[in-house]
Amino acid sequence: MPPYPHHLATTITTLLLLIVLTQHSQVASTTTGDLPKFREAPAFRNGKECLKPTWPTQPNDPSTIHIAMTLDTTYLRGSVAGVFSVLQHATCPENTVFHFLAAHRRRDLHHTILTTFPYLNFHLYHFDTNLVKGKISSSIRRALDQPLNYARIYLADLLPSTVNRIIYFDSDLIVVDDIAKLWTINLNNHVLGAPEYCHANFTHYFTSKFWSIPQFSRTFKGRKPCYFNTGVMVIDLLKWRSHGYTQKLEQWMRIQKSNRIYELGSLPPFLLVFAGNVEGVEHRWNQHGLGGDNLEGLCRDLHPGPVSLLHWSGKGKPWLRLDSKRPCPLDSLWTPYDLFRHAPLFSDD
């Protein structure tokens, strides 16, 4: 085959270089691209009946409410809406402290929270993904396999020892009630409080292999296990630390790696450790499943009864459905808390 003419060879080389540079730019943009822009939230102030916030100068101040959430680029829009909803409905918003966990781009995420909520009392902690390296098994949905999805297991280790109690929230929910009502529930002798759903078929959360091997299935002996959703939990961190629950959850993750006893990410280890030993919370505090199932994310209705928290667990997320112009009816309840700053339809440029 004769060699290309010099001008043609130069053109081909230039095209190849452009392709390489374009691919490199695309890869870089996924890791270093701009984060979503948000409107600044208004300043929410305490009511007259609120005590003056004193944390962290007084670590055991009972009037301070601690909330933990994860932050990442994919769910950032949901996280911002969740924070906004808590503040808007709180009687004492200045007494609410947010503890955010992030694995990547902490400086950018910190800046986003600071500029969106200039008056917010918050702290941002690094979640080292090496903590779960080699412990995560693939599940039925890729989003469930992300390391940050397991950060809730390590709250007791990552948060200051002066934080003795925490509310954990997923990033796809909004609160429509005073958060103090959830914060002040009595956990009695339990480590964890959450709405329980005992009508759900508990056997579906584990494989047939799990139920066929006595050394696994007898873990529920003497317990009446019920399903609970780990996207809304009130946790006694003092008891958690003293009884080593992080290590107990990790042990089940190791067993899963070699035996494949469940399919649903970080949920089953919590069921294995806590189900049947949970302080039941009113169902109003987790109207979950609004994102549909884990495969199709179809629209769903609210459960019967009052509502204090709406949770778009499942595949369908309200911001994605709204942007695609295919929202579900209940997604309109999420819209008022969306601080995302859309690009203008017209520009002077």
Side-chain angles (χ1 to χ4, degrees):
M1 183 175 179
Y4 293 115
H6 176 73
H7 70 280
L8 182 58
T10 302
T11 301
I12 292 174
T13 301
T14 302
L15 287 172
L16 290 173
L17 180 60
L18 284 172
I19 291 171
V20 170
L21 290 173
T22 300
Q23 290 176 338
H24 175 76
S25 175
Q26 289 174 341
V27 171
S29 67
T30 62
T31 55
T32 62
D34 291 338
L35 295 181
K37 304 296 183 183
F38 299 96
R39 304 188 305 275
E40 181 179 317
F44 294 97
R45 300 303 186 189
N46 280 354
K48 294 180 179 179
E49 66 273 34
C50 300
L51 297 175
K52 184 178 179 181
T54 60
W55 198 88
T57 55
Q58 295 184 19
N60 296 319
D61 176 13
S63 66
T64 301
I65 298 172
H66 296 275
I67 298 174
M69 299 177 71
T70 59
L71 287 181
D72 69 350
T73 55
T74 304
Y75 286 85
L76 182 58
R77 191 166 162 189
S79 300
V80 168
V83 173
F84 185 36
S85 71
V86 170
L87 297 175
Q88 183 165 339
H89 294 282
T91 301
C92 305
E94 292 179 272
N95 291 9
T96 305
V97 180
F98 281 86
H99 302 266
F100 297 113
L101 307 179
H104 306 290
R105 302 190 65 176
R106 280 183 298 148
R107 181 177 296 180
D108 293 338
L109 291 167
H110 187 279
H111 176 74
T112 295
I113 297 298
L114 187 62
T115 54
T116 307
F117 302 102
Y119 308 97
L120 188 67
N121 189 350
F122 77 94
H123 304 267
L124 199 156
Y125 310 89
H126 173 59
F127 175 67
D128 185 357
T129 57
N130 288 320
L131 288 171
V132 291
K133 188 176 182 180
K135 300 187 184 81
I136 297 177
S137 302
S138 61
S139 64
I140 62 174
R141 199 170 106 237
R142 186 178 178 185
L144 301 176
D145 303 337
Q146 302 308 309
L148 199 59
N149 199 41
Y150 291 79
R152 69 197 80 188
I153 293 175
Y154 299 92
L155 289 173
D157 304 320
L158 298 175
L159 269 57
S161 59
T162 52
V163 180
N164 298 331
R165 184 182 177 104
I166 196 80
I167 296 174
Y168 174 81
F169 279 155
D170 271 349
S171 296
D172 52 1
L173 57 79
I174 57 171
V175 175
V176 292
D177 203 345
D178 188 354
I179 195 62
K181 297 177 184 177
L182 179 61
W183 175 255
T184 55
I185 67 164
N186 188 348
L187 291 178
N188 295 306
N189 294 322
H190 297 109
V191 178
L192 186 152
E196 293 183 291
Y197 303 89
C198 296
H199 63 277
N201 190 333
F202 196 78
T203 61
H204 289 172
Y205 295 98
F206 302 94
T207 63
S208 56
K209 182 177 183 179
F210 172 85
W211 296 110
S212 66
I213 300 177
Q215 72 182 83
F216 296 152
S217 59
R218 67 170 171 245
T219 189
F220 293 115
K221 186 177 180 179
R223 296 154 63 184
K224 293 182 179 179
C226 294
Y227 164 76
F228 66 94
N229 181 280
T230 56
V232 177
M233 298 183 290
V234 183
I235 304 172
D236 185 326
L237 295 179
L238 276 178
K239 291 178 182 176
W240 182 293
R241 295 178 182 118
S242 63
H243 290 90
Y245 281 105
T246 296
Q247 291 71 36
K248 293 177 181 179
L249 291 161
E250 286 183 324
Q251 180 58 26
W252 280 113
M253 291 168 65
R254 294 187 185 95
I255 292 173
Q256 161 73 353
K257 287 290 289 186
S258 57
N259 292 276
R260 194 67 183 180
I261 57 174
Y262 55 78
E263 305 285 349
L264 274 174
S266 64
L267 168 65
F270 274 88
L271 297 179
L272 287 160
V273 173
F274 294 107
N277 193 22
V278 171
E279 181 64 33
V281 176
E282 286 184 273
H283 287 177
R284 67 189 305 153
W285 284 104
N286 196 353
Q287 284 267 354
H288 69 287
L290 304 186
D293 61 282
N294 281 301
L295 298 176
E296 297 184 63
L298 301 177
C299 297
R300 285 185 177 173
D301 295 327
L302 286 174
H303 308 297
V307 180
S308 292
L309 184 151
L310 299 114
H311 186 187
W312 277 261
S313 57
K315 185 177 181 181
K317 303 305 175 190
W319 56 93
L320 297 178
R321 296 197 291 214
L322 287 163
D323 286 354
S324 66
K325 308 301 182 185
R326 292 182 296 177
C328 292
L330 290 178
D331 294 343
S332 62
L333 300 176
W334 183 87
T335 306
Y337 304 97
D338 184 17
L339 293 175
F340 179 64
R341 195 167 65 204
H342 293 270
L345 293 176
F346 302 98
S347 173
D348 292 335
D349 295 337

